[in-house]
Amino acid sequence: MSPNYMRSFSEGCLRPPTVIGQFHTLFFGSVRMFFLGVLGFAVYGNEALHFSCDPDKREVNLFCYNQFRPITPQVFWALQLVIVLVPGAFFHLYAACKSIKQEDILQKSFYSSFYVFSVFLRVILEAVAFWLQIQLFGFKVNAIYMCDMGAFEKKFNITRCMVPEHFEKTIFLIAMYTFTVITVVLCVAEIFEISCRRLGFLKAQ
């Protein structure tokens, strides 16, 4: 791919054709990624090391932690961010290859419909991630986790495990849920903005 295509692609990703889309990019790129990258590491970075069970043995702690965290929150949220970016990136890659200017996207029906579809797909992916987050992490992190050691010791045995910094993790969970809701609202508002521009209720930029 030529440098011009790469330039058009990066400009499209960083400066979408709508005002709300530009705000979404700013929010997504600065606030959400910064929150996950910096604060997420601070909250979850040493969780596995401080996760302790009774009896406090390395193999017991590791077994129960893997049961407690089938996937670490940082990995899940990083995958969520990457997957949610795919529809928009695909559209802007298409626009770059076709040499479509950002100001032309909302002027032509096919391009605007394609762009709306990418935003709508983003909403679906966020909703699926929201549901998966509920299934994996819930809304609250308890201080005590009851670990089923049956598969480890070949007998029925429930072990108590201490979850470090559970209150901070609860706050972080709520924040990530909130970010997902804000992103969905921005996507819906962007679709509404495009519809208003197509109907002539809003002037083009």
Side-chain angles (χ1 to χ4, degrees):
M1 184 175 289
S2 69
N4 288 335
Y5 287 153
M6 291 301 298
R7 189 182 309 111
S8 298
F9 172 70
S10 60
E11 288 177 356
C13 291
L14 296 175
R15 189 177 180 275
T18 63
V19 175
I20 296 177
Q22 294 171 20
F23 181 78
H24 171 268
T25 300
L26 177 64
F27 172 79
F28 200 97
S30 59
V31 178
R32 195 171 179 181
M33 289 187 177
F34 174 83
F35 194 88
L36 176 60
V38 177
L39 298 182
F41 179 79
V43 173
Y44 290 97
N46 58 358
E47 183 181 48
L49 295 176
H50 295 166
F51 187 88
S52 60
C53 302
D54 183 21
D56 188 9
K57 297 181 179 179
R58 183 179 182 277
E59 60 271 18
V60 174
N61 293 340
L62 182 60
F63 177 85
C64 289
Y65 183 75
N66 289 335
Q67 186 181 121
F68 175 64
R69 294 287 191 213
I71 180 173
T72 59
Q74 306 103 300
V75 172
F76 175 83
W77 289 320
L79 287 174
Q80 177 186 357
L81 295 183
V82 171
I83 291 173
V84 167
L85 288 174
V86 169
F90 182 80
F91 172 83
H92 292 300
L93 181 62
Y94 169 82
C97 292
K98 294 293 184 178
S99 300
I100 304 171
K101 297 181 180 179
Q102 291 297 302
E103 54 269 21
D104 293 336
I105 292 175
L106 301 184
Q107 302 300 322
K108 298 184 178 181
S109 179
F110 176 76
Y111 297 154
S112 61
S113 298
F114 191 7
Y115 183 75
V116 167
F117 176 75
S118 72
V119 177
F120 182 72
L121 188 58
R122 205 160 63 208
V123 172
I124 294 176
L125 292 174
E126 288 282 14
V128 171
F130 190 90
W131 179 81
L132 286 175
Q133 184 176 335
I134 294 174
Q135 302 303 310
L136 289 170
F137 311 124
F139 291 95
K140 181 181 179 181
V141 179
N142 296 316
I144 303 296
Y145 174 72
M146 305 305 293
C147 175
D148 182 4
M149 294 288 294
F152 183 75
E153 297 185 344
K154 306 300 181 182
K155 62 180 181 179
F156 181 77
N157 186 21
I158 301 297
T159 300
R160 289 165 54 92
C161 300
M162 299 291 295
V163 180
E165 301 168 343
H166 65 281
F167 184 68
E168 288 185 10
K169 293 179 174 62
T170 298
I171 295 175
F172 202 90
L173 272 178
I174 295 173
M176 295 307 293
Y177 280 122
T178 303
F179 289 155
T180 300
V181 171
I182 291 174
T183 302
V184 170
V185 170
L186 288 174
C187 291
V188 173
E190 186 175 8
I191 295 175
F192 181 75
E193 179 188 349
I194 295 172
S195 301
C196 289
R197 289 186 185 279
R198 293 294 300 170
L199 293 173
F201 296 127
L202 291 174
K203 294 181 179 181
Q205 299 181 70

